[in-house]
Amino acid sequence: MTAVTDQDNGNGNGSGRDSGLSGKDGGKADGGAPGRVGDGRWDDGLIARRAAAAEADEAGDTVSRASAEDDAEPQVEAYVPSGGPLPPRLDALRELVGLSRARLDRDTLAEAGRVLDEAAARQRLSSRHTVIAVAGATGSGKSTLFNALAGAPISDTGLRRPTTSQPIACSWTDGAAGLLDRLAVPGRLRRRPHPGPVAFDEALQGLVLVDLPDHDSAATEHRDQVDRVLALVDAVIWVVDPEKYADAALHERYLRPLAGHAEVTFVVLNQTDRLPGEAADLVLDDLRRLLDDDGIALGEHGEPGATVMSLSALTGDGVPELREMVGRFVQDRTAATRRLWADVDAAAARLRPVYVADGRPGLGERAREEFTDRLAEAVGAAAAGQAAEREWRRNAGRACGTPWLRLWRWYENRGLPGSLDRMGQALTPPEEELTARQRVEQAVRIVADDAADGLPGPWAQAVREAAFTGAEGLPEALDELAVRAGAPGASKRGGGTEAGQGAVTGAPFGGALGGRPAKPPRPKWWPAAVLAQVSMTLLQIFGGLWLVGQIIGVLEPGLLTPALIMLAGVVGGPLVEWSCAAAIRGPARRYGQDAERRLREAAAGCGRARVLDPVAAELVRYREVRERYVTVTEFSTTGR
């Protein structure tokens, strides 16, 4: 039934083409008035008929020349930006894509890049033209509506399906050649309205109407052309009929994905002449419900949104109202801007998962401190501080202890089996070295996970890669910095550092945790303590020699005095040593803490330079692109 309707409409629209011919009835036309044709001129013979035919040919040549001139004419007017928030949004989207190329794959940015390219292409073309496509399913009567809007049978209608195989364009004014070239409409399919009221309608000046093939055509190339042109036009008129208005292919493939383009969308329920009584209103209400389910805002009660109406292209009922709406839409001259705006919204919505984080990602002070603590634990900062404190006390004992204790320690340091100092010089066992490396890896992994927590997938991956890349060689660097920091247990050996040997042997902390400790500085009061200890030793020796002299009879007997002198030396020596041990507790503790702090700062600085700074740089880059993304989307909910 629809096909027949289209054919009838096509014949009706095309009847004017034969209005200047008399046919077999001897020149009767226009209601059968003899000798008179439909345009009011008298047909009184062969000469008049030839003149009418010549005038018709001249009119056709004029239209053809106008169409050819329009095709050949260069673009006469460039796009004039609106000066609103669209240019900043496009600039922000362009910067966003540029900053993201190194972090996001090409497919993710493809749609945004396409929008930028199409926006640049559209802005180079005419801004006084509005390109509106007429789209619909097979048999919906879109070509009939196209002809009705154009006021002439430009697009073929008929029983054969599909009737429209390529886009056909009708331009009301000059200067649209560039736009039609962009749509790839062939020159032979570019038309101008026939002279008449519709062609000279001021409201339609600047309109470029494009009739598309059927979007549900069995021919794949037809559907491809529809998809291509719909991505380039400024607005679209969707023509639906009472039978296919709820077609899932239309709603799922086109209307629902283009829900954000509601302000440049017209949805027309055609063929209402086939519906009896109030059925047309019921079908129109159901169509509005389906559009609302698709997420398309409806332009009702003055709200911006899609225009939804019913008409009959065959009878002409509702066509003038649609033409008037289209005229106001064209004269507003904002369709291209609205279309680009909606395209940016759609591109931003697709990019949201790769730019919007769930929480507040970043590296807080707590995460940094925990990372430093783990590195300090891995490098053995606490153990190094304790070793430094013990070394201070050991040196104090050597300097302030009794000669007999120092003699014993000297004997012990000769390398006897079981010597504590010799054991202290042993390198860290491989098991502990492996544990230290694992601690570094664990610290890096934890801080990377903390920094990437809540980030979108690509940026979380970039943060982890930055952390793991910087962590390469971190154990060796930690050991070398520990040696430079002068930590106890880190020393030079054979003109090189333990760190260098550790890097070769696979013992990253051999220098920091093992090796011969460096001698700590001596306090100023140590010489006095040493002098006191020497005095006590001399008293012991003097008292002992006095007693020996008395025993062998060299000196006069008298044990009390030498015994007291010797006892004073024997008691005074340990007393001086104990006093020194008590006096060095505070300095030894501070020295150990200072050694731990130096090693901790060395580890923290190395970890910051190799891990935290690259991670922070990635987070800064993410914040930059997030700011650009906010600029792209900030007007989406507040309006233009």
Side-chain angles (χ1 to χ4, degrees):
M1 180 181 295
T2 304
V4 173
T5 301
D6 289 345
Q7 177 66 44
D8 294 340
N9 189 39
N11 293 337
N13 287 335
S15 60
R17 285 181 289 183
D18 299 329
S19 60
L21 300 177
S22 60
K24 291 183 179 182
D25 296 338
K28 293 182 180 181
D30 194 12
R36 195 173 178 88
V37 296
D39 58 359
R41 292 180 290 107
W42 286 93
D43 182 5
D44 57 354
L46 179 62
I47 297 177
R49 288 197 297 272
R50 289 180 176 176
E55 290 177 2
D57 292 341
E58 183 179 358
D61 293 342
T62 302
V63 174
S64 301
R65 284 197 304 271
S67 177
E69 290 173 0
D70 185 49
D71 292 341
E73 184 179 359
Q75 191 62 44
V76 298
E77 180 180 351
Y79 183 90
V80 179
S82 61
L86 179 60
R89 291 189 74 195
L90 291 174
D91 293 341
L93 182 61
R94 189 173 295 104
E95 294 178 4
L96 180 68
V97 172
L99 290 172
S100 305
R101 291 191 187 279
R103 298 295 180 267
L104 302 180
D105 58 86
R106 182 178 301 178
D107 294 339
T108 302
L109 299 173
E111 179 62 18
R114 186 197 68 80
V115 169
L116 290 172
D117 292 341
E118 297 302 338
R122 182 62 181 91
Q123 290 178 336
R124 286 193 297 267
L125 300 174
S126 174
S127 64
R128 62 187 181 94
H129 287 83
T130 301
V131 183
I132 302 179
V134 181
T138 303
S140 62
K142 58 179 179 57
S143 296
T144 305
L145 179 60
F146 177 84
N147 292 335
L149 291 175
I154 297 176
S155 183
D156 293 336
T157 61
L159 289 171
R160 183 175 60 88
R161 300 298 180 193
T163 303
T164 306
S165 59
Q166 287 185 312
I168 301 174
C170 180
S171 176
W172 265 252
T173 54
D174 297 335
L179 292 171
L180 296 178
D181 290 341
R182 180 168 175 254
L183 300 180
V185 177
R188 60 186 177 83
L189 296 179
R190 302 180 185 184
R191 302 288 188 268
R192 296 292 295 273
H194 289 189
V198 175
F200 298 107
D201 188 350
E202 289 295 333
L204 298 180
Q205 302 306 303
L207 172 62
V208 179
L209 201 62
V210 181
D211 185 21
L212 298 181
D214 302 332
H215 69 76
D216 60 348
S217 173
T220 305
E221 59 272 15
H222 293 180
R223 299 196 301 270
D224 294 340
Q225 288 188 50
V226 172
D227 295 342
R228 177 184 59 81
V229 175
L230 286 179
L232 302 177
V233 296
D234 300 329
V236 60
I237 299 176
W238 288 102
V239 183
V240 298
D241 61 84
E243 294 179 357
K244 296 183 179 180
Y245 74 92
D247 186 16
L250 171 64
H251 289 269
E252 294 178 3
R253 185 176 180 183
Y254 294 104
L255 295 180
R256 193 168 301 164
L258 295 175
H261 296 69
E263 294 188 32
V264 291
T265 300
F266 295 80
V267 182
V268 175
L269 176 63
N270 191 20
Q271 302 176 5
T272 56
D273 57 295
R274 298 169 50 193
L275 299 174
E278 298 180 355
D281 294 335
L282 296 178
V283 173
L284 188 62
D285 291 341
D286 192 48
L287 175 60
R288 288 193 176 98
R289 179 189 61 81
L290 293 175
L291 295 176
D292 186 68
D293 293 341
D294 291 334
I296 298 178
L298 303 182
E300 299 176 346
H301 310 292
E303 296 293 331
T307 299
V308 183
M309 63 177 299
S310 60
L311 54 78
S312 173
L314 176 63
T315 64
D317 183 24
V319 174
E321 289 79 2
L322 177 60
R323 187 183 294 115
E324 182 181 356
M325 291 181 183
V326 170
R328 291 197 300 265
F329 184 79
V330 170
Q331 293 307 311
D332 190 34
R333 299 191 187 278
T334 60
T337 300
R338 293 183 185 183
R339 173 59 196 260
L340 295 178
W341 186 277
D343 287 344
V344 173
D345 282 347
R350 292 188 178 185
L351 291 175
R352 180 179 177 82
V354 298
Y355 289 117
V356 178
D358 296 333
R360 299 178 60 88
L363 276 179
E365 288 299 325
R366 182 175 181 179
R368 293 175 179 270
E369 291 177 359
E370 290 178 353
F371 178 67
T372 300
D373 292 340
R374 292 187 179 95
L375 289 186
E377 181 181 1
V379 80
Q386 295 173 2
E389 182 177 353
R390 289 194 300 270
E391 186 66 17
W392 180 285
R393 293 188 178 187
R394 185 182 296 114
N395 289 344
R398 290 172 180 173
C400 304
T402 60
W404 325 119
L405 181 60
R406 295 174 64 185
L407 182 62
W408 167 254
R409 288 173 178 166
W410 171 81
Y411 176 75
E412 189 181 49
N413 288 337
R414 292 179 60 189
L416 297 177
S419 171
L420 294 178
D421 286 351
R422 183 61 61 186
M423 292 177 61
Q425 296 176 16
L427 293 176
T428 307
E431 295 81 3
E432 296 184 11
E433 296 165 3
L434 182 61
T435 301
R437 183 179 293 274
Q438 289 176 342
R439 287 176 178 175
V440 173
E441 295 175 353
Q442 182 185 27
V444 174
R445 184 171 59 256
I446 291 175
V447 75
D449 291 340
D450 289 343
D453 184 30
L455 281 176
W459 301 100
Q461 181 65 22
V463 167
R464 292 190 177 95
E465 290 179 357
F468 295 147
T469 302
E472 296 178 358
L474 179 59
E476 291 78 6
L478 286 174
D479 189 38
E480 183 177 356
L481 287 179
V483 174
R484 293 178 182 177
S491 62
K492 295 181 179 180
R493 181 184 297 173
T497 65
E498 293 280 345
Q501 298 176 6
V504 175
T505 62
F509 299 125
L513 300 180
R516 192 173 187 84
K519 292 184 179 181
R522 297 174 179 268
K524 295 181 180 180
W525 52 268
W526 274 23
V530 172
L531 181 60
Q533 192 63 261
V534 170
S535 299
M536 296 301 104
T537 302
L538 292 177
L539 289 177
Q540 294 178 40
I541 295 175
F542 179 73
L545 292 177
W546 195 344
L547 288 176
V548 171
Q550 289 182 354
I551 292 172
I552 64 177
V554 177
L555 300 175
E556 295 180 358
L559 298 177
L560 181 59
T561 301
L564 291 176
I565 294 175
M566 186 175 179
L567 180 61
V570 171
V571 174
L575 183 62
V576 171
E577 184 176 359
W578 177 83
S579 301
C580 290
I584 67 172
R585 288 177 184 174
R589 186 180 301 109
R590 289 191 294 272
Y591 179 73
Q593 292 173 350
D594 185 63
E596 179 181 358
R597 177 186 56 78
R598 289 199 307 270
L599 191 52
R600 181 185 179 88
E601 290 178 352
C606 185
R608 181 172 57 253
R610 289 176 171 264
V611 178
L612 295 184
D613 287 349
V615 168
E618 288 297 329
L619 292 175
V620 168
R621 177 185 288 268
Y622 169 72
R623 283 192 290 269
E624 289 179 354
V625 298
R626 178 65 186 272
E627 290 175 358
R628 300 300 187 280
Y629 182 77
V630 170
T631 303
V632 173
T633 60
E634 63 180 346
F635 294 103
S636 297
T637 57
T638 58
R640 281 180 283 277

